[in-house]
Amino acid sequence: MDKNDKNYKRVLIGKRIAKELKDGDYVNLGIGLPTEVANHIHGDIRVVIQSENGILGVGPSPVPGDEDEDLVNAGGGLITGAPGCAYLDSCMSFAIVRGGHLDMTVLGALQVDQKGNLANWWIPGKMVPGMGGAMDLVSGAKQVVVAMEHCDKEGKSKILKECNLPLTAKEKVTLIVTDMAVLKVENGKLRLLEVADGYSVDDVKKATEAEMIIEGEVPTFGV
């Protein structure tokens, strides 16, 4: 499959993030790309996915033709309920988010920088529906994983030395997974953990403005 294909990138990123999940984890998946993670959770583990509109126990994406239009996530996307799922009001749902009960949240981003700062809600001068639950999620979750394409539509790096868009949160991101690489935030720099199939370490260097720590032979990941 073409590495520039949108669906390939989505599956690549979602599948790689799913490998970070452990048995018993409680996880929130953000709108859009992060929801792909639910489709790749290994069958040997039980992960409880929370959606802040009031669902605890989100399942994988519905099979075409078997959708329930009344069952949606926080972004209005159609979902399924895993066995034993529960429906909550907003107060209870955000008590889970803000109370430190989530092991991980996975969000998209406009920009991330080497200090773990996140900008994912507003480009000045453009219309914005609001921040949603992003600020609560990154503050309450034990791990904050960013799922996004490495560069913007103009080919510019979205992984910077310092974000220049309004921040969602400061120094909260722990891991970044893109269509090119897996990067860990470490002491104000980014450690290159893995490179996506079809790319080289040099490709990642050219596409990344932030400073990176690169040691030894870097393994690859793919679909």
Side-chain angles (χ1 to χ4, degrees):
M1 190 180 289
D2 182 2
K3 67 183 182 182
N4 294 313
D5 179 77
K6 285 282 186 183
N7 189 58
Y8 173 81
K9 292 179 182 181
R10 182 183 178 92
V11 172
L12 175 75
I13 295 168
K15 194 171 184 179
R16 176 58 187 81
I17 292 173
K19 291 182 178 180
E20 296 294 314
L21 302 176
K22 303 184 296 297
D23 187 47
D25 277 352
Y26 283 75
V27 180
N28 178 282
L29 303 178
I31 295 169
L33 172 56
T35 62
E36 181 68 24
V37 176
N39 298 326
H40 304 284
I41 297 171
H42 199 280
D44 290 341
I45 64 173
R46 182 173 184 270
V47 174
V48 180
I49 297 175
Q50 186 256 7
S51 181
E52 64 263 34
N53 61 322
I55 304 171
L56 192 61
V58 176
S61 299
V63 176
D66 196 29
E67 300 93 342
D68 181 344
E69 294 186 359
D70 292 323
L71 196 54
V72 297
N73 60 24
L78 294 167
I79 58 173
T80 62
C85 71
Y87 303 99
L88 319 168
D89 64 17
S90 291
C91 291
M92 179 64 75
S93 186
F94 273 87
I96 292 170
V97 172
R98 296 169 179 167
H101 303 291
L102 293 175
D103 296 289
M104 180 187 295
T105 184
V106 183
L107 305 99
L110 297 168
Q111 294 177 344
V112 184
D113 68 29
Q114 64 193 47
K115 293 181 180 179
N117 295 326
L118 170 67
N120 80 336
W121 75 286
W122 183 38
I123 298 175
K126 293 192 175 184
M127 291 290 290
V128 60
M131 183 168 293
M135 190 176 286
D136 300 280
L137 287 163
V138 295
S139 297
K142 297 178 180 72
Q143 297 180 71
V144 176
V145 178
V146 166
M148 68 176 188
E149 292 189 24
H150 208 94
C151 298
D152 64 19
K153 293 178 181 179
E154 297 177 352
K156 296 179 181 178
S157 179
K158 295 169 68 174
I159 304 176
L160 311 176
K161 290 182 178 179
E162 186 174 354
C163 292
N164 52 47
L165 291 175
L167 294 184
T168 306
K170 293 187 69 175
E171 301 181 10
K172 289 293 185 179
V173 176
T174 55
L175 190 73
I176 305 164
V177 180
T178 77
D179 55 316
M180 294 182 71
V182 180
L183 297 149
K184 180 182 179 182
V185 179
E186 192 173 288
N187 299 321
K189 292 184 181 179
L190 300 177
R191 181 177 292 276
L192 181 60
L193 299 182
E194 298 175 26
V195 174
D197 283 343
Y199 292 101
S200 67
V201 171
D202 283 341
D203 291 332
V204 177
K205 284 181 180 178
K206 291 174 185 176
T208 309
E209 181 194 293
E211 297 177 53
M212 291 190 296
I213 302 167
I214 304 171
E215 295 179 345
E217 188 172 343
V218 181
T220 60
F221 72 101
V223 173

